[in-house]
Amino acid sequence: HKGHCRVEQSYTSHSSEEIRKSILIGMVRLHEIFGEISFLSTSHCAAASVIANEENVCLSVISREHVKELLKNSCEFSGRFYRYICQVMSGRLCSTLCTI
């Protein structure tokens, strides 16, 4: 993909007028992936929203079905895929903890 995207999580404020708000929780940069939590989740719910931070953002989409087919057909790919997902999620967790 090309460009930068921001990752936001929505919440409802606890004021007298329950207003839907969002908070920036991260950035997605060139050659990074997103959607891994939704892929791994059995509920298929998005944990956050990824929003283009500039015009002309370009990305590649790989369907859940295609990835599952690749995982089913290749143990080698499956091992490398899940290791990579763990590394990505671990890196994001460390980055989040460093900002708290």
Side-chain angles (χ1 to χ4, degrees), residues 4-36:
H4 295 87
C5 299
R6 63 188 185 276
V7 182
E8 296 183 353
Q9 189 154 38
S10 297
Y11 66 96
T12 303
S13 69
H14 295 294
S15 64
S16 58
E17 309 169 10
E18 292 193 5
I19 299 172
R20 199 86 178 131
K21 296 183 178 184
S22 62
I23 184 171
L24 178 68
I25 59 172
M27 297 292 292
V28 178
R29 292 177 175 76
L30 188 61
H31 302 297
E32 290 184 335
I33 65 166
F34 61 89
E36 71 281 354

PDB file of all heavy atoms in Angstrom, residues 4-36:
ATOM      1  N   HIS A   4      -0.124   6.863   4.444  1.00  0.00           N
ATOM      2  CA  HIS A   4      -0.260   6.582   5.872  1.00  0.00           C
ATOM      3  C   HIS A   4      -1.734   6.591   6.270  1.00  0.00           C
ATOM      4  O   HIS A   4      -2.523   7.340   5.714  1.00  0.00           O
ATOM      5  CB  HIS A   4       0.483   7.640   6.706  1.00  0.00           C
ATOM      6  CG  HIS A   4       1.955   7.616   6.493  1.00  0.00           C
ATOM      7  ND1 HIS A   4       2.577   8.321   5.493  1.00  0.00           N
ATOM      8  CD2 HIS A   4       2.932   6.951   7.140  1.00  0.00           C
ATOM      9  CE1 HIS A   4       3.867   8.112   5.538  1.00  0.00           C
ATOM     10  NE2 HIS A   4       4.120   7.273   6.528  1.00  0.00           N
ATOM     11  N   CYS A   5      -2.060   5.750   7.235  1.00  0.00           N
ATOM     12  CA  CYS A   5      -3.420   5.688   7.772  1.00  0.00           C
ATOM     13  C   CYS A   5      -3.343   5.787   9.282  1.00  0.00           C
ATOM     14  O   CYS A   5      -2.366   5.370   9.889  1.00  0.00           O
ATOM     15  CB  CYS A   5      -4.091   4.367   7.399  1.00  0.00           C
ATOM     16  SG  CYS A   5      -4.251   4.090   5.634  1.00  0.00           S
ATOM     17  N   ARG A   6      -4.376   6.334   9.872  1.00  0.00           N
ATOM     18  CA  ARG A   6      -4.436   6.372  11.330  1.00  0.00           C
ATOM     19  C   ARG A   6      -5.392   5.289  11.809  1.00  0.00           C
ATOM     20  O   ARG A   6      -6.322   4.919  11.107  1.00  0.00           O
ATOM     21  CB  ARG A   6      -4.823   7.754  11.824  1.00  0.00           C
ATOM     22  CG  ARG A   6      -6.175   8.234  11.421  1.00  0.00           C
ATOM     23  CD  ARG A   6      -6.386   9.718  11.810  1.00  0.00           C
ATOM     24  NE  ARG A   6      -7.730  10.137  11.515  1.00  0.00           N
ATOM     25  CZ  ARG A   6      -8.141  10.557  10.332  1.00  0.00           C
ATOM     26  NH1 ARG A   6      -7.304  10.628   9.313  1.00  0.00           N
ATOM     27  NH2 ARG A   6      -9.392  10.914  10.150  1.00  0.00           N
ATOM     28  N   VAL A   7      -5.109   4.785  12.985  1.00  0.00           N
ATOM     29  CA  VAL A   7      -5.942   3.746  13.583  1.00  0.00           C
ATOM     30  C   VAL A   7      -6.659   4.396  14.759  1.00  0.00           C
ATOM     31  O   VAL A   7      -6.032   4.955  15.656  1.00  0.00           O
ATOM     32  CB  VAL A   7      -5.089   2.551  14.065  1.00  0.00           C
ATOM     33  CG1 VAL A   7      -5.980   1.458  14.628  1.00  0.00           C
ATOM     34  CG2 VAL A   7      -4.218   2.019  12.926  1.00  0.00           C
ATOM     35  N   GLU A   8      -7.975   4.364  14.732  1.00  0.00           N
ATOM     36  CA  GLU A   8      -8.772   4.988  15.777  1.00  0.00           C
ATOM     37  C   GLU A   8      -9.711   3.983  16.410  1.00  0.00           C
ATOM     38  O   GLU A   8     -10.208   3.085  15.744  1.00  0.00           O
ATOM     39  CB  GLU A   8      -9.597   6.156  15.204  1.00  0.00           C
ATOM     40  CG  GLU A   8      -8.747   7.281  14.674  1.00  0.00           C
ATOM     41  CD  GLU A   8      -9.576   8.460  14.171  1.00  0.00           C
ATOM     42  OE1 GLU A   8     -10.821   8.340  14.112  1.00  0.00           O
ATOM     43  OE2 GLU A   8      -8.970   9.489  13.834  1.00  0.00           O
ATOM     44  N   GLN A   9      -9.932   4.167  17.688  1.00  0.00           N
ATOM     45  CA  GLN A   9     -10.900   3.337  18.401  1.00  0.00           C
ATOM     46  C   GLN A   9     -12.017   4.244  18.888  1.00  0.00           C
ATOM     47  O   GLN A   9     -11.767   5.303  19.469  1.00  0.00           O
ATOM     48  CB  GLN A   9     -10.258   2.615  19.564  1.00  0.00           C
ATOM     49  CG  GLN A   9     -11.189   1.593  20.185  1.00  0.00           C
ATOM     50  CD  GLN A   9     -10.414   0.502  20.860  1.00  0.00           C
ATOM     51  OE1 GLN A   9      -9.398   0.750  21.477  1.00  0.00           O
ATOM     52  NE2 GLN A   9     -10.901  -0.709  20.757  1.00  0.00           N
ATOM     53  N   SER A  10     -13.235   3.838  18.632  1.00  0.00           N
ATOM     54  CA  SER A  10     -14.401   4.622  19.033  1.00  0.00           C
ATOM     55  C   SER A  10     -14.845   4.250  20.433  1.00  0.00           C
ATOM     56  O   SER A  10     -14.657   3.123  20.882  1.00  0.00           O
ATOM     57  CB  SER A  10     -15.562   4.382  18.068  1.00  0.00           C
ATOM     58  OG  SER A  10     -15.213   4.822  16.786  1.00  0.00           O
ATOM     59  N   TYR A  11     -15.414   5.227  21.119  1.00  0.00           N
ATOM     60  CA  TYR A  11     -15.970   4.999  22.450  1.00  0.00           C
ATOM     61  C   TYR A  11     -17.094   6.000  22.677  1.00  0.00           C
ATOM     62  O   TYR A  11     -17.221   6.986  21.952  1.00  0.00           O
ATOM     63  CB  TYR A  11     -14.891   5.124  23.526  1.00  0.00           C
ATOM     64  CG  TYR A  11     -14.330   6.519  23.674  1.00  0.00           C
ATOM     65  CD1 TYR A  11     -14.826   7.393  24.642  1.00  0.00           C
ATOM     66  CD2 TYR A  11     -13.313   6.972  22.840  1.00  0.00           C
ATOM     67  CE1 TYR A  11     -14.329   8.676  24.767  1.00  0.00           C
ATOM     68  CE2 TYR A  11     -12.807   8.245  22.963  1.00  0.00           C
ATOM     69  CZ  TYR A  11     -13.311   9.097  23.927  1.00  0.00           C
ATOM     70  OH  TYR A  11     -12.816  10.372  24.049  1.00  0.00           O
ATOM     71  N   THR A  12     -17.895   5.746  23.671  1.00  0.00           N
ATOM     72  CA  THR A  12     -18.965   6.668  24.040  1.00  0.00           C
ATOM     73  C   THR A  12     -18.526   7.418  25.280  1.00  0.00           C
ATOM     74  O   THR A  12     -18.121   6.820  26.273  1.00  0.00           O
ATOM     75  CB  THR A  12     -20.277   5.893  24.331  1.00  0.00           C
ATOM     76  OG1 THR A  12     -20.605   5.120  23.175  1.00  0.00           O
ATOM     77  CG2 THR A  12     -21.408   6.838  24.653  1.00  0.00           C
ATOM     78  N   SER A  13     -18.592   8.760  25.192  1.00  0.00           N
ATOM     79  CA  SER A  13     -18.185   9.572  26.343  1.00  0.00           C
ATOM     80  C   SER A  13     -19.190   9.373  27.470  1.00  0.00           C
ATOM     81  O   SER A  13     -20.361   9.071  27.243  1.00  0.00           O
ATOM     82  CB  SER A  13     -18.105  11.048  25.962  1.00  0.00           C
ATOM     83  OG  SER A  13     -19.396  11.558  25.721  1.00  0.00           O
ATOM     84  N   HIS A  14     -18.725   9.530  28.694  1.00  0.00           N
ATOM     85  CA  HIS A  14     -19.593   9.311  29.848  1.00  0.00           C
ATOM     86  C   HIS A  14     -20.156  10.618  30.387  1.00  0.00           C
ATOM     87  O   HIS A  14     -20.426  10.743  31.570  1.00  0.00           O
ATOM     88  CB  HIS A  14     -18.821   8.568  30.946  1.00  0.00           C
ATOM     89  CG  HIS A  14     -18.420   7.193  30.516  1.00  0.00           C
ATOM     90  ND1 HIS A  14     -19.322   6.196  30.262  1.00  0.00           N
ATOM     91  CD2 HIS A  14     -17.200   6.661  30.256  1.00  0.00           C
ATOM     92  CE1 HIS A  14     -18.686   5.110  29.890  1.00  0.00           C
ATOM     93  NE2 HIS A  14     -17.389   5.357  29.876  1.00  0.00           N
ATOM     94  N   SER A  15     -20.324  11.578  29.500  1.00  0.00           N
ATOM     95  CA  SER A  15     -20.927  12.839  29.919  1.00  0.00           C
ATOM     96  C   SER A  15     -22.442  12.683  29.907  1.00  0.00           C
ATOM     97  O   SER A  15     -22.979  11.629  29.592  1.00  0.00           O
ATOM     98  CB  SER A  15     -20.499  13.962  28.971  1.00  0.00           C
ATOM     99  OG  SER A  15     -21.005  13.709  27.675  1.00  0.00           O
ATOM    100  N   SER A  16     -23.136  13.746  30.236  1.00  0.00           N
ATOM    101  CA  SER A  16     -24.601  13.687  30.258  1.00  0.00           C
ATOM    102  C   SER A  16     -25.176  13.460  28.861  1.00  0.00           C
ATOM    103  O   SER A  16     -26.237  12.890  28.702  1.00  0.00           O
ATOM    104  CB  SER A  16     -25.172  14.968  30.862  1.00  0.00           C
ATOM    105  OG  SER A  16     -24.732  16.082  30.104  1.00  0.00           O
ATOM    106  N   GLU A  17     -24.458  13.901  27.821  1.00  0.00           N
ATOM    107  CA  GLU A  17     -24.886  13.663  26.440  1.00  0.00           C
ATOM    108  C   GLU A  17     -23.994  12.594  25.838  1.00  0.00           C
ATOM    109  O   GLU A  17     -22.950  12.885  25.305  1.00  0.00           O
ATOM    110  CB  GLU A  17     -24.726  14.932  25.601  1.00  0.00           C
ATOM    111  CG  GLU A  17     -25.320  16.162  26.173  1.00  0.00           C
ATOM    112  CD  GLU A  17     -24.856  17.386  25.382  1.00  0.00           C
ATOM    113  OE1 GLU A  17     -24.245  17.233  24.314  1.00  0.00           O
ATOM    114  OE2 GLU A  17     -25.118  18.477  25.848  1.00  0.00           O
ATOM    115  N   GLU A  18     -24.380  11.369  25.930  1.00  0.00           N
ATOM    116  CA  GLU A  18     -23.525  10.279  25.451  1.00  0.00           C
ATOM    117  C   GLU A  18     -23.180  10.503  23.973  1.00  0.00           C
ATOM    118  O   GLU A  18     -23.981  10.267  23.090  1.00  0.00           O
ATOM    119  CB  GLU A  18     -24.189   8.934  25.680  1.00  0.00           C
ATOM    120  CG  GLU A  18     -24.288   8.587  27.143  1.00  0.00           C
ATOM    121  CD  GLU A  18     -24.641   7.134  27.371  1.00  0.00           C
ATOM    122  OE1 GLU A  18     -24.721   6.373  26.398  1.00  0.00           O
ATOM    123  OE2 GLU A  18     -24.827   6.783  28.540  1.00  0.00           O
ATOM    124  N   ILE A  19     -21.962  10.973  23.748  1.00  0.00           N
ATOM    125  CA  ILE A  19     -21.488  11.299  22.410  1.00  0.00           C
ATOM    126  C   ILE A  19     -20.441  10.273  21.987  1.00  0.00           C
ATOM    127  O   ILE A  19     -19.571   9.919  22.767  1.00  0.00           O
ATOM    128  CB  ILE A  19     -20.880  12.717  22.388  1.00  0.00           C
ATOM    129  CG1 ILE A  19     -21.950  13.742  22.784  1.00  0.00           C
ATOM    130  CG2 ILE A  19     -20.308  13.033  21.022  1.00  0.00           C
ATOM    131  CD1 ILE A  19     -21.397  15.138  22.980  1.00  0.00           C
ATOM    132  N   ARG A  20     -20.550   9.826  20.751  1.00  0.00           N
ATOM    133  CA  ARG A  20     -19.584   8.877  20.199  1.00  0.00           C
ATOM    134  C   ARG A  20     -18.319   9.639  19.817  1.00  0.00           C
ATOM    135  O   ARG A  20     -18.373  10.603  19.077  1.00  0.00           O
ATOM    136  CB  ARG A  20     -20.203   8.206  18.974  1.00  0.00           C
ATOM    137  CG  ARG A  20     -19.549   6.949  18.589  1.00  0.00           C
ATOM    138  CD  ARG A  20     -20.145   5.796  19.379  1.00  0.00           C
ATOM    139  NE  ARG A  20     -19.496   4.587  18.930  1.00  0.00           N
ATOM    140  CZ  ARG A  20     -18.990   3.687  19.737  1.00  0.00           C
ATOM    141  NH1 ARG A  20     -19.081   3.834  21.027  1.00  0.00           N
ATOM    142  NH2 ARG A  20     -18.408   2.631  19.274  1.00  0.00           N
ATOM    143  N   LYS A  21     -17.180   9.224  20.348  1.00  0.00           N
ATOM    144  CA  LYS A  21     -15.898   9.867  20.069  1.00  0.00           C
ATOM    145  C   LYS A  21     -14.903   8.813  19.633  1.00  0.00           C
ATOM    146  O   LYS A  21     -15.166   7.621  19.738  1.00  0.00           O
ATOM    147  CB  LYS A  21     -15.366  10.571  21.323  1.00  0.00           C
ATOM    148  CG  LYS A  21     -16.243  11.710  21.798  1.00  0.00           C
ATOM    149  CD  LYS A  21     -15.614  12.401  22.991  1.00  0.00           C
ATOM    150  CE  LYS A  21     -16.460  13.580  23.436  1.00  0.00           C
ATOM    151  NZ  LYS A  21     -15.816  14.312  24.522  1.00  0.00           N
ATOM    152  N   SER A  22     -13.759   9.263  19.146  1.00  0.00           N
ATOM    153  CA  SER A  22     -12.704   8.309  18.799  1.00  0.00           C
ATOM    154  C   SER A  22     -11.366   8.851  19.275  1.00  0.00           C
ATOM    155  O   SER A  22     -11.178  10.051  19.435  1.00  0.00           O
ATOM    156  CB  SER A  22     -12.671   8.037  17.298  1.00  0.00           C
ATOM    157  OG  SER A  22     -12.377   9.210  16.590  1.00  0.00           O
ATOM    158  N   ILE A  23     -10.449   7.911  19.518  1.00  0.00           N
ATOM    159  CA  ILE A  23      -9.116   8.253  19.985  1.00  0.00           C
ATOM    160  C   ILE A  23      -8.095   7.593  19.070  1.00  0.00           C
ATOM    161  O   ILE A  23      -8.295   6.451  18.640  1.00  0.00           O
ATOM    162  CB  ILE A  23      -8.921   7.830  21.460  1.00  0.00           C
ATOM    163  CG1 ILE A  23      -7.564   8.289  21.974  1.00  0.00           C
ATOM    164  CG2 ILE A  23      -9.091   6.339  21.624  1.00  0.00           C
ATOM    165  CD1 ILE A  23      -7.402   8.108  23.473  1.00  0.00           C
ATOM    166  N   LEU A  24      -7.035   8.331  18.758  1.00  0.00           N
ATOM    167  CA  LEU A  24      -5.966   7.796  17.928  1.00  0.00           C
ATOM    168  C   LEU A  24      -5.189   6.770  18.740  1.00  0.00           C
ATOM    169  O   LEU A  24      -4.705   7.070  19.830  1.00  0.00           O
ATOM    170  CB  LEU A  24      -5.030   8.922  17.479  1.00  0.00           C
ATOM    171  CG  LEU A  24      -3.833   8.496  16.633  1.00  0.00           C
ATOM    172  CD1 LEU A  24      -4.298   7.999  15.268  1.00  0.00           C
ATOM    173  CD2 LEU A  24      -2.865   9.661  16.478  1.00  0.00           C
ATOM    174  N   ILE A  25      -5.082   5.552  18.211  1.00  0.00           N
ATOM    175  CA  ILE A  25      -4.336   4.518  18.941  1.00  0.00           C
ATOM    176  C   ILE A  25      -3.117   4.031  18.172  1.00  0.00           C
ATOM    177  O   ILE A  25      -2.337   3.240  18.686  1.00  0.00           O
ATOM    178  CB  ILE A  25      -5.235   3.319  19.330  1.00  0.00           C
ATOM    179  CG1 ILE A  25      -5.853   2.666  18.102  1.00  0.00           C
ATOM    180  CG2 ILE A  25      -6.287   3.743  20.325  1.00  0.00           C
ATOM    181  CD1 ILE A  25      -6.577   1.368  18.404  1.00  0.00           C
ATOM    182  N   GLY A  26      -2.941   4.516  16.941  1.00  0.00           N
ATOM    183  CA  GLY A  26      -1.769   4.094  16.187  1.00  0.00           C
ATOM    184  C   GLY A  26      -1.784   4.601  14.766  1.00  0.00           C
ATOM    185  O   GLY A  26      -2.714   5.279  14.336  1.00  0.00           O
ATOM    186  N   MET A  27      -0.729   4.252  14.049  1.00  0.00           N
ATOM    187  CA  MET A  27      -0.590   4.612  12.639  1.00  0.00           C
ATOM    188  C   MET A  27      -0.215   3.353  11.856  1.00  0.00           C
ATOM    189  O   MET A  27       0.458   2.473  12.381  1.00  0.00           O
ATOM    190  CB  MET A  27       0.507   5.660  12.453  1.00  0.00           C
ATOM    191  CG  MET A  27       0.233   6.983  13.129  1.00  0.00           C
ATOM    192  SD  MET A  27      -1.143   7.892  12.402  1.00  0.00           S
ATOM    193  CE  MET A  27      -0.487   8.313  10.811  1.00  0.00           C
ATOM    194  N   VAL A  28      -0.669   3.285  10.625  1.00  0.00           N
ATOM    195  CA  VAL A  28      -0.266   2.223   9.706  1.00  0.00           C
ATOM    196  C   VAL A  28       0.551   2.903   8.616  1.00  0.00           C
ATOM    197  O   VAL A  28       0.093   3.859   7.990  1.00  0.00           O
ATOM    198  CB  VAL A  28      -1.481   1.497   9.082  1.00  0.00           C
ATOM    199  CG1 VAL A  28      -1.018   0.429   8.106  1.00  0.00           C
ATOM    200  CG2 VAL A  28      -2.366   0.899  10.157  1.00  0.00           C
ATOM    201  N   ARG A  29       1.765   2.427   8.443  1.00  0.00           N
ATOM    202  CA  ARG A  29       2.681   3.032   7.479  1.00  0.00           C
ATOM    203  C   ARG A  29       2.945   2.082   6.322  1.00  0.00           C
ATOM    204  O   ARG A  29       2.461   0.957   6.306  1.00  0.00           O
ATOM    205  CB  ARG A  29       3.974   3.423   8.183  1.00  0.00           C
ATOM    206  CG  ARG A  29       3.755   4.564   9.169  1.00  0.00           C
ATOM    207  CD  ARG A  29       5.015   4.924   9.939  1.00  0.00           C
ATOM    208  NE  ARG A  29       4.812   6.078  10.791  1.00  0.00           N
ATOM    209  CZ  ARG A  29       4.160   6.066  11.947  1.00  0.00           C
ATOM    210  NH1 ARG A  29       3.620   4.950  12.394  1.00  0.00           N
ATOM    211  NH2 ARG A  29       4.026   7.161  12.661  1.00  0.00           N
ATOM    212  N   LEU A  30       3.742   2.547   5.397  1.00  0.00           N
ATOM    213  CA  LEU A  30       4.068   1.793   4.193  1.00  0.00           C
ATOM    214  C   LEU A  30       4.544   0.379   4.534  1.00  0.00           C
ATOM    215  O   LEU A  30       5.367   0.197   5.432  1.00  0.00           O
ATOM    216  CB  LEU A  30       5.159   2.542   3.418  1.00  0.00           C
ATOM    217  CG  LEU A  30       5.503   2.025   2.036  1.00  0.00           C
ATOM    218  CD1 LEU A  30       4.286   2.094   1.125  1.00  0.00           C
ATOM    219  CD2 LEU A  30       6.628   2.857   1.440  1.00  0.00           C
ATOM    220  N   HIS A  31       3.999  -0.601   3.862  1.00  0.00           N
ATOM    221  CA  HIS A  31       4.341  -2.025   3.968  1.00  0.00           C
ATOM    222  C   HIS A  31       3.890  -2.665   5.280  1.00  0.00           C
ATOM    223  O   HIS A  31       4.309  -3.777   5.585  1.00  0.00           O
ATOM    224  CB  HIS A  31       5.843  -2.264   3.773  1.00  0.00           C
ATOM    225  CG  HIS A  31       6.361  -1.768   2.466  1.00  0.00           C
ATOM    226  ND1 HIS A  31       5.927  -2.270   1.262  1.00  0.00           N
ATOM    227  CD2 HIS A  31       7.254  -0.798   2.171  1.00  0.00           C
ATOM    228  CE1 HIS A  31       6.535  -1.634   0.283  1.00  0.00           C
ATOM    229  NE2 HIS A  31       7.344  -0.734   0.804  1.00  0.00           N
ATOM    230  N   GLU A  32       3.047  -2.003   6.056  1.00  0.00           N
ATOM    231  CA  GLU A  32       2.517  -2.615   7.274  1.00  0.00           C
ATOM    232  C   GLU A  32       1.161  -3.234   6.976  1.00  0.00           C
ATOM    233  O   GLU A  32       0.491  -2.860   6.018  1.00  0.00           O
ATOM    234  CB  GLU A  32       2.392  -1.578   8.393  1.00  0.00           C
ATOM    235  CG  GLU A  32       3.714  -1.110   8.927  1.00  0.00           C
ATOM    236  CD  GLU A  32       3.572  -0.151  10.098  1.00  0.00           C
ATOM    237  OE1 GLU A  32       2.537   0.526  10.228  1.00  0.00           O
ATOM    238  OE2 GLU A  32       4.511  -0.090  10.888  1.00  0.00           O
ATOM    239  N   ILE A  33       0.779  -4.176   7.818  1.00  0.00           N
ATOM    240  CA  ILE A  33      -0.520  -4.829   7.661  1.00  0.00           C
ATOM    241  C   ILE A  33      -1.464  -4.350   8.757  1.00  0.00           C
ATOM    242  O   ILE A  33      -1.036  -3.817   9.779  1.00  0.00           O
ATOM    243  CB  ILE A  33      -0.407  -6.367   7.731  1.00  0.00           C
ATOM    244  CG1 ILE A  33       0.057  -6.822   9.124  1.00  0.00           C
ATOM    245  CG2 ILE A  33       0.519  -6.887   6.640  1.00  0.00           C
ATOM    246  CD1 ILE A  33      -0.136  -8.296   9.376  1.00  0.00           C
ATOM    247  N   PHE A  34      -2.756  -4.532   8.514  1.00  0.00           N
ATOM    248  CA  PHE A  34      -3.750  -4.316   9.570  1.00  0.00           C
ATOM    249  C   PHE A  34      -4.900  -5.278   9.326  1.00  0.00           C
ATOM    250  O   PHE A  34      -5.014  -5.885   8.270  1.00  0.00           O
ATOM    251  CB  PHE A  34      -4.217  -2.856   9.631  1.00  0.00           C
ATOM    252  CG  PHE A  34      -4.891  -2.347   8.378  1.00  0.00           C
ATOM    253  CD1 PHE A  34      -6.256  -2.489   8.196  1.00  0.00           C
ATOM    254  CD2 PHE A  34      -4.153  -1.724   7.400  1.00  0.00           C
ATOM    255  CE1 PHE A  34      -6.871  -2.013   7.053  1.00  0.00           C
ATOM    256  CE2 PHE A  34      -4.749  -1.237   6.249  1.00  0.00           C
ATOM    257  CZ  PHE A  34      -6.117  -1.382   6.073  1.00  0.00           C
ATOM    258  N   GLY A  35      -5.707  -5.469  10.345  1.00  0.00           N
ATOM    259  CA  GLY A  35      -6.831  -6.400  10.243  1.00  0.00           C
ATOM    260  C   GLY A  35      -6.543  -7.770  10.823  1.00  0.00           C
ATOM    261  O   GLY A  35      -7.382  -8.664  10.776  1.00  0.00           O
ATOM    262  N   GLU A  36      -5.350  -7.925  11.403  1.00  0.00           N
ATOM    263  CA  GLU A  36      -4.967  -9.249  11.923  1.00  0.00           C
ATOM    264  C   GLU A  36      -5.822  -9.668  13.116  1.00  0.00           C
ATOM    265  O   GLU A  36      -6.124 -10.843  13.283  1.00  0.00           O
ATOM    266  CB  GLU A  36      -3.473  -9.304  12.271  1.00  0.00           C
ATOM    267  CG  GLU A  36      -3.044  -8.519  13.473  1.00  0.00           C
ATOM    268  CD  GLU A  36      -2.885  -7.022  13.237  1.00  0.00           C
ATOM    269  OE1 GLU A  36      -3.003  -6.551  12.105  1.00  0.00           O
ATOM    270  OE2 GLU A  36      -2.631  -6.333  14.237  1.00  0.00           O
TER     271      GLU A  36
END
